Amino acid sequence: MIRTHLDTFTGQDDDSAVFTSPTALPLRHGNFRRRVWLPALKAAGLPAIHFHDLRHTGNTFTADAGANLRELMERMGHSTAKAALVYLHSTSARQRAIADAVSKRAETDMAKSASGKKVTRPPQAGILTGHDT
């Protein structure tokens, strides 16, 4: 569907606008919102969200898929980490996944320690371990 849209409604230049007016001019915010965006939200049964919210959602989905900060910056066209972080949000599902991973790691290390096996891991910058005190 995206390829068809690009082939039908956008120019051939790499920097051509993806969405244009019926006469191939840049969209005006007021007209797009009133004529296209709000009716599309209503038809989809969605609340009145801002079009720009899609950037936030897309960046969060991309991060959840495993993209690092540099990859997020590249996809979003940002030159600074600060700009990219504006669009990056934590989700309760991601926080749960992180907590589960930390818990699993702790359980594994505790089981190794209880069995007499040495628990080793590479030193991490800025983190004190029992060996540092």
Side-chain angles (χ1 to χ4, degrees), residues 59-82:
N59 208 35
T60 299
F61 286 176
T62 302
D64 284 350
N68 63 39
L69 184 56
R70 173 53 62 196
E71 292 163 333
L72 292 170
M73 289 169 58
E74 200 168 303
R75 291 178 66 87
M76 297 290 287
H78 294 135
S79 59
T80 67
K82 184 177 180 180

Side-chain angles (χ1 to χ4, degrees), residues 14-98:
D14 288 343
D15 62 350
S16 294
V18 175
F19 300 102
T20 61
S21 73
T23 57
L25 296 173
L27 292 174
R28 291 182 26 215
H29 178 267
N31 286 341
F32 172 77
R33 181 168 159 49
R34 185 180 68 253
R35 293 180 184 167
V36 178
W37 184 246
L38 293 176
L41 291 173
K42 185 176 181 179
L46 296 172
I49 61 172
H50 299 280
F51 185 77
H52 198 74
D53 291 339
L54 297 176
R55 282 183 68 84
H56 292 266
T57 302
N59 208 35
T60 299
F61 286 176
T62 302
D64 284 350
N68 63 39
L69 184 56
R70 173 53 62 196
E71 292 163 333
L72 292 170
M73 289 169 58
E74 200 168 303
R75 291 178 66 87
M76 297 290 287
H78 294 135
S79 59
T80 67
K82 184 177 180 180
L85 290 173
V86 168
Y87 293 93
L88 188 56
H89 304 283
S90 179
T91 63
S92 57
R94 182 70 183 136
Q95 288 297 327
R96 179 80 259 155
I98 293 167

